[in-house]
Amino acid sequence: MEFDGEFVLEDVPPEKAWIVLSDPVAVRNSLKGCKYITPMDDDFSFDDYEPDEDLETLPEADPEDVAERAFVEGREYAALMQVGVGSVKPRFETSVTITERDEEDFIMTATGSGTASGSSFSMDSGMQIYPLEGGEGSRIEWWTEADISGRIAQLGSRVIKPVANKIVGNFFSDIEQQMSDVDEETDSGITDRIRGML
């Protein structure tokens, strides 16, 4: 199953969009149904992990903290997702690896897989941020190819795609609000400092 689209952030330049989209905490906070995104190691346990709910994002967060926790190319992350699809609300234990993170061209790609009771999926996804022609904003292209099996797959794309598109739409709307807050409440020096640390 393939999903793709684009989203325009009118007043947010690519540099600021990249910083927010590189922060796992900001992504978690904007992704409906996501309980956490955290680096994982061989000893990681979905049953035992307790996420820190009170982590600040920009503009309140310390820039060094944001830079330190940014996504890293080649690193594997655990993500716990719970999303309602039709009458099903599975809890997906997901592992995601950042396969490319190019901050010159603002490209990030990832592979991942997850399981829930009676369902599983694997996916390849990515995004690229472009300057908005004739404006100060950004245009973000995103794409995902997913292989879904089990109970959720039986619902079919007519049920799954609208749910996925709603989640993505809500995600970028929330991200845009976060970026607007960063723009309004911080001076440009903070985002420049973070970019230099990433």
Side-chain angles (χ1 to χ4, degrees):
M1 198 171 293
E2 295 184 4
F3 307 87
D4 59 64
E6 66 176 42
F7 200 87
V8 171
L9 304 175
E10 294 284 356
D11 299 313
V12 182
E15 294 80 8
K16 286 190 171 66
W18 177 256
I19 287 168
V20 176
L21 289 167
S22 294
D23 181 1
V25 177
V27 171
R28 175 200 72 184
N29 292 351
S30 296
L31 195 56
K32 184 175 173 58
C34 184
K35 307 303 181 188
Y36 58 77
I37 303 172
T38 188
M40 65 188 301
D41 55 26
D42 293 339
D43 299 323
F44 184 85
S45 168
F46 283 96
D47 291 330
D48 297 335
Y49 181 73
E50 293 289 336
D52 187 340
E53 302 288 348
D54 300 320
L55 293 173
E56 293 181 330
T57 56
L58 292 174
E60 293 83 13
D62 184 316
E64 291 188 7
D65 291 341
V66 174
E68 186 175 324
R69 70 186 181 219
F71 288 117
V72 175
E73 185 174 311
R75 181 172 290 175
E76 187 176 15
Y77 294 83
L80 185 64
M81 294 283 301
Q82 189 159 15
V83 180
V85 183
S87 60
V88 183
K89 194 171 184 181
R91 177 180 181 267
F92 276 102
E93 297 179 353
T94 306
S95 65
V96 178
T97 300
I98 306 299
T99 50
E100 180 183 11
R101 188 173 178 280
D102 182 343
E103 58 192 273
E104 295 299 319
D105 293 322
F106 304 120
I107 298 172
M108 189 153 29
T109 62
T111 61
S113 61
T115 59
S117 55
S119 301
S120 64
F121 79 93
S122 60
M123 61 96 182
D124 293 293
S125 64
M127 67 162 192
Q128 183 163 10
I129 308 171
Y130 299 92
L132 192 60
E133 290 182 23
E136 295 297 315
S138 303
R139 180 173 61 85
I140 301 172
E141 291 185 0
W142 63 271
W143 62 94
T144 297
E145 291 183 14
D147 184 14
I148 304 168
S149 61
R151 191 175 173 194
I152 291 178
Q154 293 169 7
L155 296 173
S157 62
R158 284 189 304 161
V159 174
I160 297 171
K161 281 201 171 185
V163 171
N165 288 333
K166 184 177 180 183
I167 290 169
V168 170
N170 289 342
F171 171 76
F172 280 115
S173 295
D174 198 276
I175 283 288
E176 183 173 27
Q177 183 58 55
Q178 287 194 53
M179 293 175 187
S180 298
D181 292 345
V182 171
D183 247 5
E184 289 169 10
E185 297 185 32
T186 65
D187 61 78
S188 61
I190 288 182
T191 51
D192 289 344
R193 277 175 57 203
I194 294 174
R195 248 199 120 202
M197 298 176 201
L198 291 176

